Amino acid sequence: MLTPTALEFEEARRLKQEEVIREYDLWDDVAKSDEDLVQLAESAKAIDSLKDLRYKAEEAKLITELAGMDSINYEFLKQAYTACVSVNKSLDKYELSKLLREPYDMEGACVTIESGNEGIYSEIWAEQLTRMYIKWAEKQCHKARIVEKQDSDSGGIKYAMIELEFKSAYGYLSGERGIHYMSGNSENKLDLSKVINPDELKAGTAAVDVIPLFLESSPDLSIDERDLEITIRPSYEEEQSNTSPSLTIQHIPTGLQVRSTGERSRFANKLKALNRLKAKLLIVMREQGVSDLASVRSSAISSSWNQVARRYVFHPNKLVEDVKTGIQLSDLTAVLNGNIEPFIGAHINSRRHEIP
């Protein structure tokens, strides 16, 4: 029912864009022309997707009608259910994509997971969260690359960085930022029995940070080199593998710090870290509503450690509670297997009142 309406909307929007482009000389304002042409291309993609969705909806309707004609044909019923679920998921994804209108929403994403101070519990929990995001990307038919990782002696990790080089990854995952808190004991899915007594499992935390990964351009922000403190520190693993030493950059005025360890040269690590710092600063500027670095209030920068984003309870009752949106799910195993769409959808929908 919704697909034809959405298709009509996109086709009308494309016609309007074409009229606007025809009314002025593209060479008068190259930047605006480029923006209009990109929007036109996006409308064309949306129309193609919706036409495909309309075909799937018609197919689902036909299969459902055939299933209704023969109540004992369970194969038809199964096909009808699968087709309807596929159509609903596609339409949900389209609706969410229309809400991704904030700056940087269409960029890729760089996700960092850092274990808390609870030792072994947090380190294994951080490793589980890393797998969760990788599985989520796979379910979206995309690849997530672990570009940096620091293992711990417990079998978990102290730190991991994932790059998702596909469009809208930041828009989808920006709501994941914050503390992810795990609690429980005997009934857990973290394979902790290989390392410690499961009955002793108490709690663990991991901080998740998400910044844009610019796919087609570098972050548009100028930083004074005098405001940067660069530290180079080789690790044992890097010495053994002959890779370039870890490079950390701190922005002195704000105290924000980033690092890069995955590149082969010091220059490449510096460039990568600098781009991450710029992306982080752009998000801070956006949150504070300022247009230049000098106006950023360092005291108002909210650390991802200060806000709990989600709670995962393993025992006695399994429960995942998203603190930001209030969404609660009891299927903990499914969530850890990458099924975080309900949380993503709730976070994106919470922006609806902000969009004109």
Side-chain angles (χ1 to χ4, degrees):
M1 292 172 62
L2 292 176
T3 303
T5 303
L7 182 56
E8 289 175 5
F9 169 79
E10 289 294 348
E11 288 179 333
R13 190 162 76 106
R14 185 181 66 176
L15 289 174
K16 187 176 180 180
Q17 290 171 340
E18 290 175 343
E19 289 176 3
V20 171
I21 290 175
R22 282 196 297 267
E23 288 178 358
Y24 67 89
D25 189 340
L26 292 176
W27 294 106
D28 288 344
D29 188 340
V30 176
K32 186 178 186 305
S33 299
D34 289 343
E35 182 181 345
D36 289 340
L37 290 173
V38 168
Q39 291 178 354
L40 183 62
E42 289 178 353
S43 291
K45 289 180 182 178
I47 289 170
D48 289 341
S49 298
L50 286 168
K51 285 181 177 178
D52 181 59
L53 183 57
R54 182 176 61 182
Y55 170 79
K56 290 180 180 179
E58 292 171 350
E59 182 182 45
K61 182 180 178 181
L62 176 61
I63 295 175
T64 303
E65 290 174 350
L66 291 173
M69 294 170 60
D70 188 351
S71 59
I72 63 172
N73 192 328
Y74 296 107
E75 186 61 32
F76 265 139
L77 289 172
K78 183 178 178 181
Q79 289 182 32
Y81 173 78
T82 302
C84 289
V85 169
S86 175
V87 169
N88 281 329
K89 284 184 176 180
S90 297
L91 190 55
D92 287 344
K93 192 170 183 180
Y94 166 77
E95 290 178 333
L96 287 179
S97 69
K98 305 311 293 181
L99 295 176
L100 297 179
R101 298 183 185 178
E102 294 187 5
Y104 321 122
D105 273 354
M106 306 309 290
E107 299 293 347
C110 181
V111 181
T112 58
I113 303 100
E114 188 169 357
S115 62
N117 298 322
E118 296 80 11
I120 187 173
Y121 309 112
S122 291
E123 291 166 359
I124 297 180
W125 176 233
E127 196 272 339
Q128 179 67 66
L129 286 177
T130 302
R131 292 207 302 264
M132 181 182 77
Y133 290 118
I134 291 174
K135 290 178 180 178
W136 172 80
E138 291 173 348
K139 290 179 184 297
Q140 309 307 307
C141 299
H142 293 292
K143 186 177 180 180
R145 295 191 306 121
I146 297 180
V147 293
E148 296 179 22
K149 187 170 73 166
Q150 183 180 356
D151 295 320
S152 68
D153 296 335
S154 66
I157 61 172
K158 294 183 178 180
Y159 172 87
M161 179 177 287
I162 306 170
E163 287 188 351
L164 300 102
E165 298 177 338
F166 58 91
K167 197 173 183 180
S168 302
Y170 178 75
Y172 286 121
L173 293 178
S174 58
E176 295 295 302
R177 179 184 177 189
I179 293 294
H180 290 244
Y181 178 83
M182 173 271 294
S183 66
N185 49 28
S186 58
E187 296 183 15
N188 64 81
K189 301 296 181 181
L190 298 177
D191 291 332
L192 289 168
S193 58
K194 297 179 180 179
V195 185
I196 60 174
N197 184 350
D199 294 330
E200 297 176 355
L201 176 61
K202 297 178 181 178
T205 59
V208 175
D209 196 10
V210 186
I211 60 174
L213 178 66
F214 291 84
L215 300 174
E216 298 178 357
S217 62
S218 298
D220 185 16
L221 184 65
S222 178
I223 302 179
D224 192 334
E225 286 277 346
R226 293 172 296 182
D227 288 337
L228 303 178
E229 182 178 315
I230 301 176
T231 305
I232 300 173
R233 184 181 300 109
S235 66
Y236 174 78
E237 291 81 2
E238 289 160 348
E239 290 176 347
Q240 296 302 307
S241 60
N242 294 320
T243 58
S244 181
S246 300
L247 187 143
T248 302
I249 299 181
Q250 182 177 29
H251 186 243
I252 300 172
T254 62
L256 289 177
Q257 183 173 289
V258 295
R259 64 180 175 182
S260 177
T261 63
E263 303 302 320
R264 286 285 176 179
S265 70
R266 182 182 302 179
F267 174 79
N269 270 328
K270 180 180 178 181
L271 184 61
K272 179 78 79 171
L274 191 58
N275 282 337
R276 289 171 183 166
L277 177 62
K278 289 180 179 180
K280 206 161 192 173
L281 286 168
L282 285 170
I283 295 303
V284 170
M285 291 166 61
R286 167 72 177 168
E287 291 176 347
Q288 295 190 9
V290 298
S291 58
D292 60 273
L293 276 178
S295 300
V296 171
R297 305 180 307 278
S298 58
S299 59
I301 295 177
S302 59
S303 169
S304 58
W305 283 102
N306 294 335
Q307 297 180 355
V308 175
R310 195 171 299 148
R311 295 187 178 95
Y312 306 73
V313 181
F314 285 83
H315 188 74
N317 299 314
K318 293 180 173 62
L319 178 69
V320 185
E321 178 190 11
D322 193 78
V323 178
K324 295 181 180 180
T325 62
I327 297 295
Q328 294 185 353
L329 298 177
S330 59
D331 196 344
L332 175 61
T333 301
V335 171
L336 294 178
N337 281 330
N339 294 308
I340 58 175
E341 288 300 310
F343 303 124
I344 291 174
H347 172 74
I348 295 175
N349 272 295
S350 67
R351 309 177 184 176
R352 189 183 296 270
H353 67 282
E354 301 174 0
I355 298 177

